[in-house]
C-alpha cells in the first residue's frame, strides 16, 4: 500500500520534485523524532523530581527549565524556595499531622509532627519522616531523659535521623517540599526498669501507613520481683498479647492517671466541689449528701484511673483484676506500672471534637 501511494505521489509531482520533497519529509521526521525524544526525557525528569520533592508540578517544571534540566540543581533550587516559603508560613496553625510509633519488647517511642492539612498528612514523604522520627527517638533512648515525660521539640529536633541529618532538619526539608507549616511538636519514651524484666505493649489507631496514625498508646507490664525473667517463649507471648490488648484499651477509654495516688489534689478538690454543689440541690440531709458525693467520686476514679476502669474486652472485670488474673495464669507477680496515650492535636483542638473522636475509638474497639 505504501509503495502504491508513493508511486501515485511520484507521478503527480515528477521524480526530481519528489526527490526533493522526500528529503524535506525525512528532515521533518528527524526533527519531530528528536523533539519527541527530548519531550519524553523532560517529562521523565519532571516526574522523577516531583516524586522526590513532593513539590507542585508547575514549580518542578519551572525549576528544571531554570537549571537547563539539571535535576540535581533543580532539586536544590526547589529546596531553597520551599524553605523560604515554609518559613513565611511558620506562624500558621498546624493541628493536623500524624503520630509515629516505634517499639521494642522493653521500650516504645512516640513522636507527634503536625501539618496544616490532612492532605499533606497523607503524603508519603510526610508519613516517612514521622515514622523515621519515632525510630530515631527509639534509637536514642539511652541518651534521652527522663523516661516517661514529654520530650520537647528542641531536644527531639537535635536527635540524629538516618545518620545524615537531625529530626528537625528532616522536618524543615519536608516543610520546604509541601509548602506548609510543618511542626515537630513532642515525643515520649516508655521503657522497662530492667532490660529483661518488663514488656511494653503498643497500639496505633487510625493508621495512615506503617508505624503512623492518629492515636498511639503504650503500656508497661513489669514484675516487682523479677519474675518475668523465668517466663518461657510461649508465656512471654501470652504476656505480650495482653500488653497489646491493654494498649488498645487505653486508646479507647482515655484514662488520665494510672491509679488514685496519681490524681492531683487540685483536680480531686475541683471534682469534689462540683459534686457537692450538684448533690446539695437535692435538698437531702448532709449525711446523705456526703454518701452521694463519695459514690460519685468512686465513679470519677473509675473514669479517669486506668486500673479501676472496666476492661473493654471483659467489662465485668477491672483492668487491675485482668492484670492480677494474668499473673495467676503465668504464676508470677505482674504489675501495670505505666502507660502513655498520645493523640494527634491533643490540646490544640476543640474539646468537644476530641470527645467525639474518643467515642469513635471506643466503638471501634468494642468490635474486637
Amino acid at each position: 500500500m505504501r509503495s502504491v501511494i508513493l508511486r501515485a505521489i511520484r507521478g503527480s509531482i515528477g521524480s526530481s520534485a519528489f526527490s526533493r520533497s522526500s528529503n524535506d519529509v525525512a528532515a521533518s521526521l528527524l526533527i519531530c523524532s528528536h523533539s519527541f525524544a527530548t519531550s519524553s526525557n523532560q517529562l521523565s525528569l519532571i516526574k522523577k523530581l516531583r516524586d522526590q520533592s513532593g513539590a507542585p508540578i508547575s514549580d518542578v517544571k519551572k525549576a528544571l527549565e531554570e537549571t537547563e534540566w539539571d535535576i540535581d540543581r533543580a532539586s536544590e533550587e526547589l529546596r531553597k524556595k520551599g524553605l523560604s516559603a515554609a518559613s513565611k508560613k511558620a506562624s500558621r496553625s498546624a493541628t493536623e499531622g500524624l503520630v509515629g510509633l516505634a517499639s521494642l519488647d522493653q521500650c516504645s517511642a512516640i513522636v507527634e509532627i503536625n501539618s496544616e492539612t490532612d492532605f499533606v498528612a497523607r503524603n508519603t514523604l510526610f508519613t516517612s519522616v514521622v515514622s523515621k522520627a519515632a525510630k530515631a527517638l527509639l534509637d536514642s533512648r539511652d541518651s534521652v531523659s527522663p523516661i516517661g515525660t514529654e520530650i520537647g521539640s528542641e531536644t527531639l529536633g537535635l536527635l540524629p535521623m538516618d545518620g545524615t541529618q537531625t529530626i528537625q532538619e528532616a522536618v524543615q526539608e519536608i516543610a520546604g517540599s509541601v509548602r506548609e507549616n510543618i511542626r515537630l511538636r513532642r515525643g515520649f519514651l516508655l521503657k522497662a526498669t530492667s532490660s529483661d524484666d518488663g514488656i511494653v505493649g503498643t497500639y496505633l489507631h487510625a493508621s495512615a501507613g506503617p508505624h503512623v496514625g492518629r492515636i498511639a498508646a503504650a503500656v508497661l507490664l513489669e514484675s516487682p520481683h523479677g519474675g518475668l525473667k523465668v517466663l518461657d517463649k510461649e508465656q512471654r507471648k501470652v504476656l505480650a498479647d495482653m500488653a497489646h490488648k491493654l494498649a488498645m484499651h487505653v486508646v479507647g477509654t482515655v484514662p488520665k492517671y494510672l491509679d488514685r495516688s496519681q490524681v492531683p489534689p487540685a483536680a480531686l478538690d475541683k471534682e469534689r466541689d462540683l459534686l457537692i454543689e450538684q448533690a446539695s440541690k437535692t435538698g437531702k440531709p448532709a449525711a446523705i449528701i456526703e454518701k452521694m458525693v463519695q459514690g460519685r467520686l468512686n465513679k470519677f476514679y473509675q473514669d479517669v484511673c486506668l486500673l479501676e476502669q472496666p476492661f473493654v474486652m471483659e467489662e465485668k472485670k477491672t483492668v487491675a483484676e485482668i492484670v492480677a488474673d494474668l499473673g495467676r495464669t503465668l504464676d508470677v507477680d505482674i504489675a501495670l506500672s505505666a502507660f502513655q496515650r498520645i493523640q494527634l492535636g491533643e490540646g490544640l483542638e476543640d474539646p468537644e471534637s476530641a470527645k467525639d473522636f474518643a467515642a469513635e475509638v471506643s466503638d471501634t474497639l468494642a468490635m474486637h
Side-chain angles (χ1 to χ4, degrees):
M1 176 63 72
R2 180 181 177 187
S3 60
V4 172
I5 295 173
L6 288 175
R7 282 199 299 273
I9 295 173
R10 185 189 296 273
S12 65
I13 65 176
S15 60
S16 61
F18 178 78
S19 178
R20 289 194 301 274
S21 179
S22 296
N23 290 337
D24 292 342
V25 170
S28 296
L29 288 173
L30 183 62
I31 291 172
C32 288
S33 176
H34 176 72
S35 176
F36 178 77
T38 301
S39 176
S40 178
N41 184 51
Q42 290 175 350
L43 287 174
S44 177
L45 287 173
I46 290 173
K47 183 180 185 305
K48 183 177 181 180
L49 185 54
R50 171 73 174 85
D51 292 341
Q52 287 179 355
S53 66
I57 290 179
S58 58
D59 291 351
V60 170
K61 184 174 181 293
K62 184 178 180 181
L64 284 166
E65 289 174 341
E66 291 177 347
T67 57
E68 298 179 340
W69 299 92
D70 184 321
I71 193 169
D72 291 331
R73 288 169 55 203
S75 178
E76 181 62 20
E77 191 65 24
L78 275 177
R79 194 182 73 83
K80 290 178 181 178
K81 289 182 178 179
L83 290 176
S84 176
S87 66
K88 295 176 183 178
K89 299 180 181 182
S91 61
R92 286 163 51 163
S93 175
T95 58
E96 288 293 337
L98 291 168
V99 293
L101 171 66
S103 64
L104 298 170
D105 283 348
Q106 286 84 33
C107 186
S108 66
I110 301 172
V111 170
E112 178 181 356
I113 300 180
N114 300 120
S115 63
E116 292 181 46
T117 64
D118 180 58
F119 175 77
V120 164
R122 297 194 302 269
N123 181 299
T124 54
L125 295 174
F126 183 84
T127 59
S128 176
V129 167
V130 177
S131 175
K132 289 179 180 178
K135 177 63 164 56
L137 177 57
L138 184 67
D139 291 343
S140 301
R141 59 191 177 278
D142 292 331
S143 61
V144 178
S145 60
I147 300 296
T149 59
E150 181 173 322
I151 302 165
S153 59
E154 290 187 5
T155 300
L156 195 59
L158 295 175
L159 298 180
M161 191 176 93
D162 284 345
T164 58
Q165 57 186 172
T166 65
I167 294 179
Q168 186 59 46
E169 288 170 342
V171 169
Q172 290 175 340
E173 189 171 297
I174 192 68
S177 296
V178 300
R179 309 297 177 87
E180 277 196 13
N181 179 22
I182 305 298
R183 188 163 70 99
L184 176 63
R185 188 182 179 202
R186 54 184 179 164
F188 295 86
L189 279 173
L190 188 60
K191 187 177 177 183
T193 306
S194 172
S195 61
D196 59 352
D197 194 46
I199 193 162
V200 174
T202 61
Y203 177 68
L204 194 62
H205 182 73
S207 175
H211 312 297
V212 294
R214 292 180 64 85
I215 308 177
V219 168
L220 174 60
L221 295 178
E222 295 181 297
S223 174
H225 309 295
L228 302 188
K229 298 176 184 178
V230 301
L231 297 182
D232 60 29
K233 184 177 180 180
E234 287 303 312
Q235 289 175 316
R236 291 193 71 85
K237 185 177 179 181
V238 171
L239 185 68
D241 180 63
M242 180 53 71
H244 172 68
K245 289 177 179 176
L246 288 167
M248 293 177 67
H249 171 98
V250 167
V251 165
T253 60
V254 201
K256 293 183 178 180
Y257 315 104
L258 180 63
D259 56 31
R260 296 189 183 199
S261 68
Q262 291 189 356
V263 179
L268 184 59
D269 290 343
K270 181 180 179 180
E271 185 67 20
R272 186 188 297 276
D273 291 343
L274 177 62
L275 294 176
I276 290 173
E277 181 182 348
Q278 292 174 344
S280 297
K281 293 178 181 180
T282 64
K284 294 182 179 181
I288 299 298
I289 288 177
E290 179 60 29
K291 289 181 179 179
M292 291 173 60
V293 169
Q294 190 55 49
R296 291 175 183 177
L297 272 180
N298 289 333
K299 180 63 170 63
F300 166 73
Y301 285 128
Q302 290 174 7
D303 287 340
V304 300
C305 297
L306 174 58
L307 292 177
E308 297 195 29
Q309 291 180 334
F311 184 45
V312 292
M313 298 181 190
E314 194 173 342
E315 294 188 345
K316 291 183 178 181
K317 294 184 177 182
T318 66
V319 169
E321 289 170 337
I322 289 295
V323 173
D325 286 348
L326 178 65
R328 284 189 287 270
T329 299
L330 299 177
D331 197 26
V332 292
D333 290 332
I334 298 176
L336 197 169
S337 53
F339 77 94
Q340 292 174 343
R341 183 187 187 278
I342 312 305
Q343 180 170 323
L344 172 67
E346 204 168 30
L348 302 177
E349 78 295 312
D350 177 68
E352 284 301 314
S353 64
K355 181 179 178 181
D356 291 343
F357 189 59
E360 174 195 334
V361 173
S362 186
D363 290 342
T364 300
L365 292 181
M367 296 185 294
H368 283 266

